[in-house]
Amino acid sequence: MPGGEGAPARHWHAYAYTGRSYPESAIRRKEAPADYPPIELKDWLRRPAAQVVATYADAEAAVAWVEGELTQNPPADLEHFPLWDRLRHVEETLRLTAGSDVVQGYYSKAQQYVSRALIACARAG
């Protein structure tokens, strides 16, 4: 069972980007800002520690962070995919899949690209 004795403890590093969006070709050519979301999830943990905006050891605190971020930067399609549905998905992913990553990427009502990520990281317990 995940998190049992002898198993590595899990935590999540939170990453945030708000700004313009870039096509994959620009990202590959390194024309996007250094804090722009990577193409592959595995590349999040290769980012400098200064890009980590928070670290959460429990899922409840991580979900609360996502809720605050979604509230502060409301998605343009909020009426079609309500906040509570998004948060339920985040919570289920973090709790039920034992340390999975959660990445939210969307356009805000302010017409900016918003990316919020919780990237699972195992550490020695």
Side-chain angles (χ1 to χ4, degrees), residues 32-111:
D35 63 341
Y36 194 78
I39 294 169
E40 296 185 38
L41 286 176
K42 66 181 182 167
D43 293 333
W44 281 108
L45 294 175
R46 294 183 177 142
R47 296 291 176 98
Q51 288 187 11
V52 175
V53 297
T55 299
Y56 299 100
D58 82 30
E60 187 174 315
V63 171
W65 176 75
V66 171
E67 180 176 16
E69 295 296 309
L70 289 170
T71 301
Q72 187 176 10
N73 299 285
D77 65 347
L78 199 57
E79 59 277 357
H80 302 293
F81 189 14
L83 181 62
W84 67 270
D85 277 343
R86 293 170 195 257
L87 293 174
R88 186 182 62 201
H89 172 74
V90 169
E91 184 173 16
E92 287 174 357
T93 300
L94 296 181
R95 290 185 191 279
L96 301 178
T97 56
S100 290
D101 305 313
V102 171
V103 178
Q104 298 273 319
Y106 59 90
Y107 287 94
S108 70
K109 290 184 176 183
Q111 299 181 336

